[in-house]
Amino acid sequence: MNTRTTEEIMHAMGVQARRASARMAIASAKEKALALRFLADLLRQQAPALQVENAKDLERARANGLTEPMVDRLKLTDTILETAAQGCEQLAAMPDIIGDVIGLRQQPSGIRVGQMRVPLGVFGMIYESRPNVTIEAASLAIKSGNACILRGGSEAIDSNKALAALVRQALVHAQLPEDGVQLVPTTDRAAVGALITMPEYVDVIIPRGGRGLIERISAEAKVPVIKHLDGICHTYVDDPSNIEQAVVIADNAKTHKYSPCNATETLLVARGVAEQFLPKIAAIYAAKGVEMRVTDEARAWVSQAPQAHVVSATEADWSTEYLAPIISIKIVAGLDEAIAHINQYGSHHTDAIVTNNHQHAQRFLREVDSASVMVNASTRFADGFEFGLGAEIGISTDKFHARGPVGVEGLTSLKFIVLGEGEIRQ
Amino acid sequence: MNTRTTEEIMHAMGVQARRASARMAIASAKEKALALRFLADLLRQQAPALQVENAKDLERARANGLTEPMVDRLKLTDTILETAAQGCEQLAAMPDIIGDVIGLRQQPSGIRVGQMRVPLGVFGMIYESRPNVTIEAASLAIKSGNACILRGGSEAIDSNKALAALVRQALVHAQLPEDGVQLVPTTDRAAVGALITMPEYVDVIIPRGGRGLIERISAEAKVPVIKHLDGICHTYVDDPSNIEQAVVIADNAKTHKYSPCNATETLLVARGVAEQFLPKIAAIYAAKGVEMRVTDEARAWVSQAPQAHVVSATEADWSTEYLAPIISIKIVAGLDEAIAHINQYGSHHTDAIVTNNHQHAQRFLREVDSASVMVNASTRFADGFEFGLGAEIGISTDKFHARGPVGVEGLTSLKFIVLGEGEIRQ
């Protein structure tokens, strides 16, 4: 019988994580790849057993009255498990960046100074819903040489426990400490409060979930938080630009999926191309049922489309993340006004320009103060996999430490190394 | 007459800093170098005028009963002003890293993804005593393309105002916004409270001062803090090592200066070389009046030195930052025990090994979890200038964002850039 308090449980997990992190940090590339590949095998072999545990979560979710789309998000289907297994194998195949030394250079004193990439130590991850995040987080912890403490949603607790058990089996198989990855076993909310206030055991917290969760954790945490707030993303169609390309990009950026944070919420159009561009994109949005919230000047160009749903934009629209089939549209004088609008109203997440002008492209890249800035591409590309990071533990809308999609590198830091031959300070 | 509250003053400074930061961020290398070189000229030309203002601080300090060594720290001597001017010129001559693009690589979708180095935006700096820090911070802000708000100690307010006025003159000369560098004009303590709780205007806070100041700021800040806590640094003399070299390094690491954070506080000695090494270093420490706090095993080897001041070490000694002519000494079995001791008792600041063994050197570099890890060199080298950073705004004992000496790069971040040719997400 377990009579420990939640605080005692979390404290003990912290001690174990800190201890395991020393070994994880010096694990060889070979050991880490072995653990990841073995985990991939386990996810495939144990799929039926995992689905038995998963069924408990699904049953409880239905009993609790969750809607079927919400129940769907909890499902560990064969496809989801196969994708998770492939993710582990992809990470195993990537170069290991831990121990990389950069910039080793001799100084006037004779010492050679460089920087070595090292893990942060221990990260805590707090997430809701989808249990496959357990595998994403655990595999990134292994690859980056960090220990981690995972706190999944209570609605997926049985699935998460089963997945975490496989992860720990894989760690042991590779002779790594099983406490390299720990799952919080209790659904008590006090566990989160403890996890985010143990700077002696946890080096960084990564929350994934709704804005409310992230703001609460940021406000209460005593350790750094890699946080993702709003995604108010813009696509700016410049003058001159390839209008056909602009239409394809503006369509994809808004309608490929409505719920992701990197979907475009505001379309800015240079006055010089509005007449050409707006009727074309408006026809597509209208056909797809996307509501257009527009300035007076834009109204004439978008209203002609059959079945167009056009509304006057208010000031609030420019700083609203719709995550829905709605887009705000504004005509601007040109590049300067576009950059000013984005830096004022955007959320510094992801913004794109469609242009043929080299100087405009360069200025947009330099002057737009966002985590991801794009030329002639859809904002939907802002993603760890698409960026070649191999995996993504989250997206940072902060400027400190990591900006944009966070993969293995975002879970590391650089320490200075000095190679001398007996030098002393004069 | 100014009837604004301190909060209103700070709020207005925040608005101005944020506005100026957009221009500072896109300042050309040429503009920044012009501002820095003009500032150097001003510091030399205006030395007499600066010293008139400085005299007010000195007079007030003496009237307030400050000791002469403390008054000395406030002095803007010709030498200090010349050093500050040279620092500005050195920064001007360094390569400009803002806008650097790294790792631009094509992804399977066709987009090319890289990262661009950009300023953090606005930093706030809180410091005590020495007014030349005003120039160090301002010049680093200019070089790194950040705006900054400086809050110096009340004892140096007249000097700081005069120095800040020159900085702003230099910014204007280079056609950069004078609000790129602002000095808090009031000595009201509420100004600090406001500065560290304006995340909308300030991106990072850098406190420089005593541990009390730093802990208070860290606890109350609503923005990230680059902080420097203890410097419990170790020198480990390995078996085998060059004993003469070990003596020179252990001497320098402790006695070169006693007050800096990178002075060695604990000497670890491999049992195999204790008999050779300890009597030699003990003779030097004894001659220099350094108290030795030793384990029983070490006592025999250090007590023979004439006038040796030897004390038994207690458990507390291993985690004490003396900043004084005191050193703790322990004999260890070898590398494993040395690394374990350092990671347990150290402050993750700076630690060195003296060794002839390649494998030991490599393991020490990888396994010691400190911001600066050294082989065959004095811990006193942990410094922005010695590391080739050009300047140092502080030293971070954190793992997040920046570790060790923080120069221009520590005041920057990497954003993702994407170059496409019309790609959309499939």
Side-chain angles (χ1 to χ4, degrees), chain A residues 2 4-14 184-186:
Chain A
N2 191 339
R4 294 188 303 171
T5 67
T6 297
E7 285 69 24
E8 285 166 350
I9 292 170
M10 296 308 296
H11 184 275
M13 291 181 79
V184 176
T186 164

Side-chain angles (χ1 to χ4, degrees), chain A residues 18 22 25-28 32 98-99 102 107-109 111 113 115-116 118-122 203-204 219 222 224-226 245 248-249 252-253 256 262 343 362 364-378 380-383 385-389 398-406 409-410 412-426, chain B residues 18 22 25-28 32 98-99 102 107-109 111 113 115-116 118-122 203-204 219 222 224-226 245 248-249 252-253 256 262 343 362 364-378 380-383 385-389 398-406 409-410 412-426:
Chain A
R18 182 59 82 205
I26 59 169
S28 69
K32 293 187 276 187
I98 298 303
I102 59 173
Q107 300 301 322
S109 63
I111 59 173
V113 180
Q115 287 178 293
M116 182 186 282
V118 291
L120 288 174
V122 178
D203 297 294
V204 58
K222 300 284 179 207
V225 177
I226 295 180
Q245 193 176 79
V248 170
I249 288 173
N252 184 264
H256 178 252
N262 56 18
N343 286 341
Q362 292 299 316
F364 194 86
L365 287 172
R366 287 203 64 185
E367 297 182 26
V368 170
D369 183 24
S370 297
S372 300
V373 190
M374 307 184 168
V375 177
N376 295 336
S378 168
R380 286 281 293 120
F381 278 115
D383 171 278
F385 290 94
E386 295 292 342
F387 279 6
L389 308 185
D398 282 327
K399 293 179 172 189
F400 204 64
H401 186 72
R403 293 187 85 168
V406 177
E409 194 173 304
T412 68
S413 188
L414 293 167
K415 70 180 179 188
F416 282 98
I417 62 167
V418 174
L419 302 181
E421 297 179 353
E423 286 83 358
I424 57 171
R425 187 87 180 264
Q426 299 300 327
Chain B
R18 181 60 82 207
I26 58 169
S28 68
K32 292 187 275 188
I98 298 302
I102 60 174
Q107 300 301 322
S109 62
I111 59 173
V113 180
Q115 286 177 295
M116 182 185 283
V118 291
L120 288 174
V122 177
D203 298 294
V204 59
K222 300 284 179 208
V225 177
I226 295 180
Q245 193 177 78
V248 170
I249 289 173
N252 184 264
H256 179 252
N262 56 18
N343 285 340
Q362 292 299 315
F364 194 87
L365 287 173
R366 287 202 65 185
E367 298 182 24
V368 170
D369 183 24
S370 297
S372 300
V373 190
M374 306 185 168
V375 177
N376 296 335
S378 168
R380 286 281 293 119
F381 279 115
D383 171 279
F385 291 94
E386 295 292 342
F387 279 7
L389 307 185
D398 281 328
K399 293 179 171 188
F400 204 65
H401 186 72
R403 293 187 86 168
V406 177
E409 194 173 303
T412 69
S413 188
L414 293 167
K415 70 181 182 188
F416 282 98
I417 62 167
V418 174
L419 302 181
E421 297 180 354
E423 286 83 357
I424 57 170
R425 187 87 180 264
Q426 299 301 325

Side-chain angles (χ1 to χ4, degrees), chain B residues 273-336:
Chain B
V273 298
E275 182 175 356
Q276 283 180 273
F277 170 74
L278 277 178
K280 288 184 174 141
I281 191 68
I284 293 173
Y285 287 158
K288 294 188 177 179
V290 176
E291 176 182 324
M292 292 174 270
R293 302 197 180 171
V294 304
T295 53
D296 289 346
E297 190 183 358
R299 182 176 280 271
W301 307 118
V302 303
S303 300
Q304 310 147 335
Q307 324 216 301
H309 185 188
V310 181
V311 174
S312 286
T314 64
E315 177 73 9
D317 278 302
W318 311 123
S319 44
T320 299
E321 185 182 24
Y322 303 117
L323 302 177
I326 305 172
I327 191 161
S328 54
I329 301 178
K330 183 183 193 177
I331 292 175
V332 294
L335 182 70
D336 284 331

Side-chain angles (χ1 to χ4, degrees), chain A residues 263-305:
Chain A
T264 285
E265 305 292 23
T266 296
L267 185 61
L268 300 172
V269 182
R271 188 160 288 123
V273 299
E275 182 174 358
Q276 282 179 274
F277 170 75
L278 277 177
K280 288 184 174 140
I281 192 68
I284 293 173
Y285 288 158
K288 293 188 176 178
V290 176
E291 176 182 323
M292 292 173 268
R293 301 196 181 171
V294 306
T295 53
D296 288 347
E297 190 183 358
R299 183 176 280 272
W301 308 117
V302 304
S303 301
Q304 309 146 336

